[in-house]
Every structure is written in C-alpha cells, then in structure tokens.
Amino acid sequence: MNSAPHRSGVVAIIGPPNAGKSTLLNQLLRQKIAIVTPKPQTTRNRIMGVVTGSGYQIILLDTPGLHAAREEMNRQMVRVALESLAEADAVLFLADSAEVVAAKREQRAEEFKGYLDRVACPVVLALNKTDLLPPERLLPVIDWYRGLHAFSAIVPISALNGTQIDALLAELVALLPEGPQYYPDDIPTDASERFIAAEVIREKIFLRTRDEIPYSTAVVIDTFEEGDPVVIRATVLVERDSQKGILVGRKGAMLAAIRKSAIVDIERLLDRRVRLYLWIKVSRNWTDNLNTLRELGLA
C-alpha cells in the first residue's frame, strides 16, 4: 500500500492591516517570530515562516497589510505584499470577521475584490477574531465574502486562541503540490537574528509610544557581536527632533524602558544573555526617501 505523497509549497498570507496575520504566523509556528501590536501596519517586511508536519511542509510568507497607501514607505509595503502572490502555490486571505460593518461593505467589497482578482492560484479565506463575534453574526459575514471570490475554503478562526488552526492547516496542505521537504524540521524562519532583534526593538517602540511616533521610526542594527552575552548596538531613526525627545523621555526613562523590555524578548529568542545599546538619530522624512528605504530593505 502506497503512503500519501509528501506535499510542500509556498502560501502567501495577505489581507488588510490589523487582521492578525502576524499573530496567525506565530500561532502556526508555535513560537513568536513576527512582532505583534494592536496598531495597524506593524509589519513592514515580508517574513518567512516554515511549518513542518507529518507529510507536509508549508513555507508561509507573512506580508504587510494591504491598504490604500499614500506615503512612499507604505506604497513599498503594499508592493512587497502583492509581489508575494507571484511566488505562491496558494494564498491565505486573512480578514477580521467583525470588521465588515454595513457602512463599510460597499467600499470594502471593491477593495477586497481588487486584491483577490490579482490572485491566480487557489485562495483560502480565514475569518479571524471569531471569539469577538456572536455566532449568529458569523453566517452573514461568510455569505458576504462568498460573493467576492470563489474561495477554495472558508475557515472561521481565532489566531489569538488557536481555534480552528488545525482545520485551516488541513485546507492549506490539501492545496500544496507534491514536493520534497526544503527546510530541516528545526528551522522555523529564514529571518536572521539581526533582523529579529531589530523587529523586537521596533515592537517595543510601537507598544510604548502613540500617534505618529511608531510609524516614523525604524531600527538599524549597527553591530551584532556573538558571544555570551551577545552585544547589540542599534540606531533608532526618527523624522523630527521632537520625536527624538519623546523617545528618549524624561531623563532617558522612555529609551531605558524600551531597551529593558527588548532585552527580555531578545534573550528569550536567542537563549543567551544580551547587552543592548540604543541611540536615536534624526533622519528627516526618511519614510519618503527611497535611498533610506532601500538601506532598510523596504524598497
């Protein structure tokens, strides 16, 4: 009796900002790789995660949220997300099940159809945050999405709680072609330790600051010295002097708090002690500067 063929392939996770794409990636990987905050447009770069199971391997591409972008950085983020579609064997469109209210439905229908019409491969719809939606409101939402696209499957989930994650995995695996295992069992991502460290620092800035500050900052790892402790020196870019003052805080309190909370997470990820040094640098209007965006891997 022949065993089932091994399946492997690329699944691009796309969808609007704040739908929970990074939370879902971390849930599927059973560890935190992508940073997560309550603010939209937290993810800027494409992040690869590898889910390996019995008879399958899924290479997941977590992408920036799809939105009507005005600034150059945001346009580049949307470009990265849409370009990921060309590499995919299947697409996972993730949406907030509670987000589509009557007032926004017509606008959202046109926007979502525009994204989905670009997809040439099978699409699975995952309706996230069902833990926040009364069951009687879920069926009308599913019907509304059925009118937008011929989805291969629709799976209501809670990425935060892990509800229906196994069912979602099964639907994705069924769409993958037969193929070998490309990555070892213990490789959850191709992201470098430098990249993950920079993302953790940026997450702490997102969580501790308000208004435009998180969106006007970027983190550059200047040096990453292996050892025990690992010594990391990083520069935080901001656009204005006033933003630098806020990030430093009274007597350096804000920067110290960001540094302290970042160390905790980076040490957990690296499983080593970490010594972290942070500097703030004003780089005026860097979010609209293509050269700076290229240096940051955002263009």
Side-chain angles (χ1 to χ4, degrees):
M1 181 176 177
N2 293 329
S3 60
H6 188 277
R7 295 184 178 275
S8 58
V10 176
V11 174
I13 308 174
I14 66 168
N18 225 26
K21 293 183 292 297
S22 296
T23 301
L24 176 60
L25 178 68
N26 293 335
Q27 183 69 250
L28 290 167
L29 295 175
R30 302 289 192 259
Q31 60 179 291
K32 184 175 178 179
I33 293 296
I35 64 172
V36 176
T37 80
K39 297 181 175 71
Q41 297 165 32
T42 299
T43 300
R44 288 178 181 167
N45 303 77
R46 189 181 77 173
I47 300 171
M48 190 193 86
V50 182
V51 179
T52 303
S54 177
Y56 69 87
Q57 186 171 78
I58 306 176
I59 300 164
L60 293 164
L61 303 179
D62 179 25
T63 63
L66 295 169
H67 61 287
R70 291 183 294 274
E71 292 80 12
E72 184 61 38
M73 180 176 70
N74 294 71
R75 285 195 289 270
Q76 295 296 332
M77 287 160 57
V78 172
R79 176 188 61 78
V80 166
L82 293 176
E83 284 182 355
S84 298
L85 299 177
E87 303 174 47
D89 297 295
V91 165
L92 172 56
F93 189 86
L94 185 69
D96 182 341
S97 60
E99 197 265 350
V100 182
V101 295
K104 290 184 177 179
R105 282 195 175 184
E106 190 173 325
Q107 174 191 338
R108 284 302 200 194
E110 185 178 347
E111 180 186 346
F112 289 175
K113 270 186 67 64
Y115 301 141
L116 292 164
D117 286 348
R118 291 171 175 255
V119 183
C121 58
V123 184
V124 172
L125 171 67
L127 288 173
N128 194 22
K129 307 182 185 181
T130 54
D131 50 312
L132 304 178
L133 195 69
E136 65 272 12
R137 288 184 56 196
L138 185 58
L139 281 178
V141 172
I142 291 173
D143 287 340
W144 183 81
Y145 275 99
R146 280 202 178 106
L148 299 184
H149 189 79
F151 294 104
S152 297
I154 299 176
V155 186
I157 67 165
S158 169
L160 186 63
N161 299 333
T163 307
Q164 286 276 86
I165 295 299
D166 288 343
L168 178 61
L169 266 176
E171 295 289 354
L172 294 173
V173 170
L175 296 175
L176 297 181
E178 294 181 25
Q181 180 170 324
Y182 294 102
Y183 293 90
D185 291 352
D186 59 348
I187 299 292
T189 181
D190 68 344
S192 69
E193 292 179 340
R194 292 175 70 108
F195 174 81
I196 293 174
E199 286 289 273
V200 168
I201 297 165
R202 198 165 63 82
E203 178 188 63
K204 304 313 173 190
I205 294 170
F206 259 75
L207 292 172
R208 290 180 176 272
T209 59
R210 295 178 298 173
D211 304 323
E212 87 283 357
I213 300 290
Y215 303 101
S216 298
T217 57
V219 177
V220 178
I221 302 297
D222 301 310
T223 62
F224 190 103
E225 299 172 14
E226 295 284 358
D228 192 4
V230 176
V231 180
I232 303 171
R233 293 177 175 84
T235 298
V236 180
L237 299 183
V238 294
E239 294 189 291
R240 298 194 295 275
D241 292 319
S242 59
Q243 295 168 346
K244 179 177 180 177
I246 292 169
L247 267 183
V248 171
R250 183 178 171 83
K251 297 183 179 179
M254 174 66 82
L255 193 61
I258 290 167
R259 176 183 158 276
K260 186 176 180 181
S261 58
I263 286 173
V264 172
D265 277 14
I266 297 171
E267 286 185 335
R268 186 183 301 122
L269 286 163
L270 302 182
D271 197 25
R272 280 168 287 168
R273 292 179 302 138
V274 168
R275 194 175 296 153
L276 176 63
Y277 300 93
L278 295 178
W279 288 268
I280 313 292
K281 177 184 175 182
V282 178
S283 178
R284 303 199 185 281
N285 301 317
W286 71 262
T287 56
D288 277 316
N289 186 313
L290 262 177
N291 289 330
T292 303
L293 293 173
R294 286 191 190 101
E295 290 172 10
L296 294 167
L298 298 173

